[in-house]
mmCIF file of all heavy atoms in Angstrom:
data_model
loop_
_atom_site.group_PDB
_atom_site.id
_atom_site.type_symbol
_atom_site.label_atom_id
_atom_site.label_comp_id
_atom_site.label_asym_id
_atom_site.label_seq_id
_atom_site.Cartn_x
_atom_site.Cartn_y
_atom_site.Cartn_z
ATOM 1 N N HIS A 1377 0.638 1.416 -1.098
ATOM 2 C CA HIS A 1377 0.181 2.451 -2.039
ATOM 3 C C HIS A 1377 -1.348 2.456 -2.166
ATOM 4 O O HIS A 1377 -1.897 1.637 -2.849
ATOM 5 C CB HIS A 1377 0.927 2.365 -3.382
ATOM 6 C CG HIS A 1377 0.546 3.560 -4.219
ATOM 7 N ND1 HIS A 1377 1.172 4.800 -4.043
ATOM 8 C CD2 HIS A 1377 -0.391 3.768 -5.193
ATOM 9 C CE1 HIS A 1377 0.681 5.704 -4.835
ATOM 10 N NE2 HIS A 1377 -0.303 5.057 -5.575
ATOM 11 N N HIS A 1379 -4.886 5.442 -1.811
ATOM 12 C CA HIS A 1379 -5.214 6.908 -1.594
ATOM 13 C C HIS A 1379 -6.466 6.848 -0.705
ATOM 14 O O HIS A 1379 -7.616 6.517 -1.223
ATOM 15 C CB HIS A 1379 -5.606 7.520 -2.907
ATOM 16 C CG HIS A 1379 -4.460 7.557 -3.881
ATOM 17 N ND1 HIS A 1379 -3.728 8.738 -4.106
ATOM 18 C CD2 HIS A 1379 -3.816 6.622 -4.620
ATOM 19 C CE1 HIS A 1379 -2.766 8.517 -5.011
ATOM 20 N NE2 HIS A 1379 -2.817 7.226 -5.371
ATOM 21 N N GLN A 1382 -9.756 8.527 -1.729
ATOM 22 C CA GLN A 1382 -10.449 7.941 -2.890
ATOM 23 C C GLN A 1382 -11.245 6.701 -2.516
ATOM 24 O O GLN A 1382 -11.789 6.010 -3.409
ATOM 25 C CB GLN A 1382 -9.440 7.647 -4.017
ATOM 26 C CG GLN A 1382 -8.766 8.844 -4.519
ATOM 27 C CD GLN A 1382 -7.605 8.566 -5.511
ATOM 28 O OE1 GLN A 1382 -7.605 7.451 -6.139
ATOM 29 N NE2 GLN A 1382 -6.643 9.444 -5.680
ATOM 30 N N LEU A 1393 -5.440 7.554 -17.190
ATOM 31 C CA LEU A 1393 -5.059 8.253 -16.007
ATOM 32 C C LEU A 1393 -5.355 9.770 -15.938
ATOM 33 O O LEU A 1393 -6.033 10.273 -15.041
ATOM 34 C CB LEU A 1393 -3.542 8.073 -15.810
ATOM 35 C CG LEU A 1393 -2.898 8.838 -14.672
ATOM 36 C CD1 LEU A 1393 -3.433 8.425 -13.384
ATOM 37 C CD2 LEU A 1393 -1.395 8.805 -14.761
ATOM 38 N N TRP A 1396 -9.065 10.817 -15.991
ATOM 39 C CA TRP A 1396 -9.663 10.195 -14.749
ATOM 40 C C TRP A 1396 -9.302 11.125 -13.594
ATOM 41 O O TRP A 1396 -10.180 11.466 -12.750
ATOM 42 C CB TRP A 1396 -9.099 8.802 -14.628
ATOM 43 C CG TRP A 1396 -9.444 8.136 -13.329
ATOM 44 C CD1 TRP A 1396 -10.620 7.494 -13.043
ATOM 45 C CD2 TRP A 1396 -8.567 8.019 -12.196
ATOM 46 N NE1 TRP A 1396 -10.509 6.937 -11.762
ATOM 47 C CE2 TRP A 1396 -9.298 7.212 -11.258
ATOM 48 C CE3 TRP A 1396 -7.323 8.404 -11.871
ATOM 49 C CZ2 TRP A 1396 -8.808 6.885 -9.970
ATOM 50 C CZ3 TRP A 1396 -6.777 8.011 -10.651
ATOM 51 C CH2 TRP A 1396 -7.508 7.257 -9.711
ATOM 52 N N LEU A 1397 -8.035 11.571 -13.498
ATOM 53 C CA LEU A 1397 -7.666 12.453 -12.381
ATOM 54 C C LEU A 1397 -8.370 13.810 -12.472
ATOM 55 O O LEU A 1397 -9.002 14.238 -11.471
ATOM 56 C CB LEU A 1397 -6.140 12.778 -12.445
ATOM 57 C CG LEU A 1397 -5.170 11.650 -11.965
ATOM 58 C CD1 LEU A 1397 -3.744 12.095 -12.265
ATOM 59 C CD2 LEU A 1397 -5.341 11.375 -10.439
ATOM 60 N N ILE A 1401 -11.124 12.555 -9.929
ATOM 61 C CA ILE A 1401 -10.449 12.377 -8.633
ATOM 62 C C ILE A 1401 -10.085 13.676 -7.913
ATOM 63 O O ILE A 1401 -10.320 13.872 -6.760
ATOM 64 C CB ILE A 1401 -9.207 11.522 -8.822
ATOM 65 C CG1 ILE A 1401 -9.614 10.104 -9.278
ATOM 66 C CG2 ILE A 1401 -8.318 11.447 -7.615
ATOM 67 C CD1 ILE A 1401 -10.615 9.416 -8.395
ATOM 68 N N TRP A 1402 -9.626 14.652 -8.746
ATOM 69 C CA TRP A 1402 -9.226 15.903 -8.052
ATOM 70 C C TRP A 1402 -10.436 16.639 -7.510
ATOM 71 O O TRP A 1402 -10.385 17.148 -6.357
ATOM 72 C CB TRP A 1402 -8.404 16.780 -9.037
ATOM 73 C CG TRP A 1402 -6.998 16.235 -9.245
ATOM 74 C CD1 TRP A 1402 -6.362 15.320 -8.450
ATOM 75 C CD2 TRP A 1402 -6.106 16.470 -10.291
ATOM 76 N NE1 TRP A 1402 -5.173 14.982 -8.919
ATOM 77 C CE2 TRP A 1402 -4.891 15.729 -10.058
ATOM 78 C CE3 TRP A 1402 -6.078 17.323 -11.394
ATOM 79 C CZ2 TRP A 1402 -3.799 15.791 -10.909
ATOM 80 C CZ3 TRP A 1402 -4.986 17.347 -12.244
ATOM 81 C CH2 TRP A 1402 -3.854 16.595 -11.963
ATOM 82 N N GLU A 1405 -11.268 15.012 -4.230
ATOM 83 C CA GLU A 1405 -10.297 15.293 -3.117
ATOM 84 C C GLU A 1405 -10.448 16.727 -2.654
ATOM 85 O O GLU A 1405 -10.129 17.010 -1.486
ATOM 86 C CB GLU A 1405 -8.855 14.962 -3.587
ATOM 87 C CG GLU A 1405 -8.609 13.500 -3.770
ATOM 88 C CD GLU A 1405 -7.154 13.130 -3.967
ATOM 89 O OE1 GLU A 1405 -6.317 14.048 -3.772
ATOM 90 O OE2 GLU A 1405 -6.880 11.976 -4.337
ATOM 91 N N ARG A 1497 2.782 14.495 -5.319
ATOM 92 C CA ARG A 1497 1.819 13.569 -6.005
ATOM 93 C C ARG A 1497 2.467 12.880 -7.239
ATOM 94 O O ARG A 1497 2.407 11.693 -7.276
ATOM 95 C CB ARG A 1497 0.614 14.404 -6.436
ATOM 96 C CG ARG A 1497 -0.436 13.485 -7.039
ATOM 97 C CD ARG A 1497 -1.797 14.093 -7.158
ATOM 98 N NE ARG A 1497 -2.773 13.028 -7.115
ATOM 99 C CZ ARG A 1497 -3.881 13.029 -6.398
ATOM 100 N NH1 ARG A 1497 -4.189 14.059 -5.667
ATOM 101 N NH2 ARG A 1497 -4.692 11.994 -6.439
ATOM 102 N N PHE A 1498 2.893 13.671 -8.138
ATOM 103 C CA PHE A 1498 3.728 13.176 -9.269
ATOM 104 C C PHE A 1498 4.329 14.339 -9.973
ATOM 105 O O PHE A 1498 3.882 15.486 -9.756
ATOM 106 C CB PHE A 1498 2.942 12.204 -10.244
ATOM 107 C CG PHE A 1498 1.822 12.767 -11.077
ATOM 108 C CD1 PHE A 1498 1.515 12.073 -12.212
ATOM 109 C CD2 PHE A 1498 1.141 13.930 -10.760
ATOM 110 C CE1 PHE A 1498 0.446 12.537 -13.048
ATOM 111 C CE2 PHE A 1498 0.098 14.428 -11.634
ATOM 112 C CZ PHE A 1498 -0.200 13.720 -12.734
ATOM 113 N N ASN A 1501 2.773 17.659 -11.099
ATOM 114 C CA ASN A 1501 2.178 18.625 -10.084
ATOM 115 C C ASN A 1501 3.161 19.461 -9.325
ATOM 116 O O ASN A 1501 2.755 20.164 -8.419
ATOM 117 C CB ASN A 1501 1.212 17.806 -9.166
ATOM 118 C CG ASN A 1501 -0.101 17.417 -9.724
ATOM 119 O OD1 ASN A 1501 -0.574 16.319 -9.361
ATOM 120 N ND2 ASN A 1501 -0.651 18.178 -10.602
ATOM 121 N N HIS A 1524 4.373 8.900 -7.753
ATOM 122 C CA HIS A 1524 3.974 7.988 -8.888
ATOM 123 C C HIS A 1524 5.056 8.077 -9.953
ATOM 124 O O HIS A 1524 5.626 9.170 -10.200
ATOM 125 C CB HIS A 1524 2.605 8.448 -9.423
ATOM 126 C CG HIS A 1524 1.489 8.292 -8.468
ATOM 127 N ND1 HIS A 1524 1.185 9.278 -7.567
ATOM 128 C CD2 HIS A 1524 0.576 7.303 -8.260
ATOM 129 C CE1 HIS A 1524 0.103 8.844 -6.862
ATOM 130 N NE2 HIS A 1524 -0.307 7.650 -7.282
ATOM 131 N N GLU A 1527 3.326 5.593 -15.192
ATOM 132 C CA GLU A 1527 2.069 4.802 -15.076
ATOM 133 C C GLU A 1527 1.445 4.644 -16.411
ATOM 134 O O GLU A 1527 0.924 3.615 -16.761
ATOM 135 C CB GLU A 1527 1.170 5.469 -14.045
ATOM 136 C CG GLU A 1527 -0.193 4.769 -13.920
ATOM 137 C CD GLU A 1527 -1.031 5.501 -12.824
ATOM 138 O OE1 GLU A 1527 -0.537 6.502 -12.255
ATOM 139 O OE2 GLU A 1527 -2.158 5.002 -12.543
ATOM 140 N N GLU A 1531 1.104 10.454 -19.651
ATOM 141 C CA GLU A 1531 1.727 11.029 -18.480
ATOM 142 C C GLU A 1531 3.232 11.162 -18.732
ATOM 143 O O GLU A 1531 3.833 12.213 -18.463
ATOM 144 C CB GLU A 1531 1.493 10.158 -17.260
ATOM 145 C CG GLU A 1531 2.213 10.496 -15.985
ATOM 146 C CD GLU A 1531 2.525 9.236 -15.104
ATOM 147 O OE1 GLU A 1531 2.393 8.120 -15.602
ATOM 148 O OE2 GLU A 1531 2.728 9.470 -13.874
ATOM 149 N N HIS A 1563 3.697 2.143 -9.564
ATOM 150 C CA HIS A 1563 3.456 1.802 -11.022
ATOM 151 C C HIS A 1563 4.711 1.262 -11.749
ATOM 152 O O HIS A 1563 4.878 0.126 -11.834
ATOM 153 C CB HIS A 1563 2.672 2.841 -11.736
ATOM 154 C CG HIS A 1563 1.323 3.050 -11.159
ATOM 155 N ND1 HIS A 1563 0.349 2.178 -11.177
ATOM 156 C CD2 HIS A 1563 0.853 4.182 -10.414
ATOM 157 C CE1 HIS A 1563 -0.693 2.641 -10.484
ATOM 158 N NE2 HIS A 1563 -0.423 3.877 -10.027
ATOM 159 N N SER A 1588 -5.149 -1.669 -10.506
ATOM 160 C CA SER A 1588 -5.235 -0.313 -10.934
ATOM 161 C C SER A 1588 -4.799 -0.163 -12.403
ATOM 162 O O SER A 1588 -5.447 0.425 -13.202
ATOM 163 C CB SER A 1588 -4.355 0.646 -10.068
ATOM 164 O OG SER A 1588 -4.140 1.845 -10.685
ATOM 165 N N LEU A 1592 -7.301 1.279 -15.246
ATOM 166 C CA LEU A 1592 -7.092 2.523 -16.057
ATOM 167 C C LEU A 1592 -6.474 2.180 -17.427
ATOM 168 O O LEU A 1592 -6.114 3.170 -18.176
ATOM 169 C CB LEU A 1592 -6.236 3.504 -15.265
ATOM 170 C CG LEU A 1592 -6.801 4.093 -13.964
ATOM 171 C CD1 LEU A 1592 -5.869 5.112 -13.406
ATOM 172 C CD2 LEU A 1592 -8.255 4.634 -14.099
ATOM 173 N N ASP A 1614 -3.615 0.751 -4.855
ATOM 174 C CA ASP A 1614 -3.811 2.015 -5.524
ATOM 175 C C ASP A 1614 -5.263 2.381 -5.631
ATOM 176 O O ASP A 1614 -5.762 2.931 -6.564
ATOM 177 C CB ASP A 1614 -3.185 1.982 -6.922
ATOM 178 C CG ASP A 1614 -3.146 3.426 -7.494
ATOM 179 O OD1 ASP A 1614 -3.000 4.364 -6.737
ATOM 180 O OD2 ASP A 1614 -3.276 3.514 -8.797
ATOM 181 N N ALA A 1617 -8.094 4.031 -8.050
ATOM 182 C CA ALA A 1617 -7.998 3.476 -9.435
ATOM 183 C C ALA A 1617 -8.161 1.997 -9.198
ATOM 184 O O ALA A 1617 -8.946 1.361 -9.989
ATOM 185 C CB ALA A 1617 -6.641 3.812 -10.076
HETATM 186 N N1 GUN B 297 -0.874 9.837 -10.501
HETATM 187 C C1 GUN B 297 -1.025 11.029 -9.812
HETATM 188 N N2 GUN B 297 -2.056 10.955 -8.909
HETATM 189 C C2 GUN B 297 -2.541 9.728 -9.031
HETATM 190 C C3 GUN B 297 -3.660 9.054 -8.406
HETATM 191 O O1 GUN B 297 -4.333 9.550 -7.528
HETATM 192 N N3 GUN B 297 -3.863 7.735 -8.780
HETATM 193 C C4 GUN B 297 -3.150 7.121 -9.770
HETATM 194 N N4 GUN B 297 -3.358 5.871 -10.064
HETATM 195 N N5 GUN B 297 -2.148 7.709 -10.363
HETATM 196 C C5 GUN B 297 -1.842 9.034 -10.017
#
Side-chain angles (χ1 to χ4, degrees):
H1377 186 79
H1379 300 256
Q1382 297 174 20
L1393 173 66
W1396 173 81
L1397 283 173
I1401 296 305
W1402 289 343
E1405 291 192 9
R1497 184 165 206 134
F1498 68 158
N1501 284 145
H1524 296 84
E1527 176 176 4
E1531 172 208 19
H1563 299 291
S1588 164
L1592 298 187
D1614 192 31

